[in-house]
Amino acid sequence: MTAPAPTTTTRARTQRRERVPAVLVLEDGRTFRGQAYGAVGETFGEAVFNTGMTGYQETLTDPSYHRQVVVMTAPQIGNTGVNDEDPESARIWVAGYVVRDPARVPSNWRSVRSLDQELVDQGVVGISGIDTRALTRHLRERGAMRVGIFSGAALADEAVLLERVRQAPEMTGADLSTEVATTEPYVVPAVGEKRFTVAAIDLGIKAMTPQRMAERGIEVHVLPATATLDDVYAVRPDGVFLSNGPGDPATADLTVIQGVLERRTPLFGICFGNQLLGRAVGFGTYKLKYGHRGINQPVQDRATGKVEVTAHNHGFAVDAPLEGTTDTPYGRVEVSHVCLNDDVVEGLRLLDTPAFSVQYHPEAAAGPHDAAYLFDRFVELMEGQRA
């Protein structure tokens, strides 16, 4: 069963947008010309690339992409359209979208509308028809940088557009978690018998994350990024979770995390949460040249030697020694996981305090699922504290 063919009106709208010229301008002056894809207008952000062959809907709705213009390395995007089951949040978060060859007609039994129309409906400015391979190689060589996409009435002299790009804010120093997090607490109930209660601090959480915990009998209380230590312990948690999220970890307040470590409540962090745990115990963080984004990143669990294929979305990393242990105010800490592409720290384990974290996404909506065991490890940590 396939999605219904687009109507004549839909085809006409798509064709009109395809004829609208667009230009992508990088802050170093390089430009790429193509056609408008999605909304017509202008947008600014940090240019990054995603190497996933599937899962574009989950990528678009991941809050960690806030203020980033995402370049898809897969050549054709939009084949399966858009459905209402796969979004990771209530809206698209990317600042802009760059594809080489957008699908003209979506074909999937769950599709309810085209990706192009979804981008239009949510006001996401994009560009298509450019050499995304050349753009990706440029970003790998020069690093992630500010970018603007301009189409329709927003087009102007390239020198003028370049100056506007260079006036846009940088990602370094950006405090963004409160812009994407929930403003009110909510509860995701345990599936089946309730075994534990977890306070999850929303720094840009994806919908699948509390679901993965709920499947293990955990009642998840999702709290705003601004939650205090009193707010966390008001739910009487067996464990505390630090979510993924956008921005520079150097801007975050570490008071709550350090308070949880002092109370020895089991703690699990992913992505941005890994960076915050690293900073809370005394490590630094730094900006990667072009980051890790995609669903095909090889990571080694150093305890088992197993290599996992993992989902990533991060532009910052923890600066910690790869070998041996480090003494911190919370006991010894070791690097538990490492990226096999570039030796970036991909996980931390506290040996004297019940806490650990990974830099990638074990919930892995859109796959892969190699790292799902980490939620079981969190359960074991909570069970150990009860014993």
Side-chain angles (χ1 to χ4, degrees), residues 25 43-44 47 53 60 68 71 79 92 130 139 147 167 171 174 215 218 252 293 307 357 361 364:
V25 180
T43 191
F44 302 90
M53 294 292 289
L60 287 166
Q68 293 181 323
V71 181
N79 287 315
I92 292 176
I130 73 169
L139 294 175
V147 66
Q167 291 174 355
M171 190 58 69
E215 291 168 356
I218 299 172
R293 297 174 181 88
V307 177
S357 59
H361 289 254

Side-chain angles (χ1 to χ4, degrees), residues 100-155:
R100 181 176 183 131
D101 182 18
R104 290 178 175 271
V105 179
S107 180
N108 185 274
W109 67 277
R110 294 195 302 152
S111 177
V112 294
R113 54 195 170 275
S114 71
L115 174 57
D116 176 52
Q117 189 60 52
E118 184 77 349
L119 295 171
V120 172
D121 291 346
Q122 297 202 36
V124 179
V125 174
I127 186 172
S128 66
I130 73 169
D131 188 345
T132 50
R133 181 174 60 178
L135 175 53
T136 298
R137 292 185 65 178
H138 188 78
L139 294 175
R140 280 179 58 91
E141 293 168 0
R142 303 292 182 87
M145 63 184 77
R146 289 170 294 182
V147 66
I149 300 175
F150 308 90
S151 58
L155 289 173

Side-chain angles (χ1 to χ4, degrees), residues 24-42:
L24 180 150
V25 180
L26 293 166
E27 71 170 284
D28 67 356
R30 185 160 184 185
T31 62
F32 292 80
R33 291 191 172 274
Q35 297 80 46
Y37 182 57
V40 173
E42 65 178 36

Side-chain angles (χ1 to χ4, degrees), residues 155-171:
L155 289 173
D157 181 81
E158 285 188 8
V160 174
L161 299 180
L162 176 59
E163 182 59 29
R164 296 192 64 200
V165 170
R166 290 174 174 172
Q167 291 174 355
E170 297 185 14
M171 190 58 69

Side-chain angles (χ1 to χ4, degrees), residues 348-366:
L348 299 171
R349 181 188 296 115
L350 277 66
L351 303 181
D352 304 308
T353 302
F356 71 103
S357 59
V358 293
Q359 185 57 68
Y360 46 98
H361 289 254
E363 84 292 336

Side-chain angles (χ1 to χ4, degrees), residues 11-32:
R11 288 197 189 97
R13 288 174 178 168
T14 300
Q15 290 168 357
R16 283 199 295 272
R17 280 195 294 275
E18 288 176 348
R19 291 195 293 267
V20 175
V23 62
L24 180 150
V25 180
L26 293 166
E27 71 170 284
D28 67 356
R30 185 160 184 185
T31 62
F32 292 80

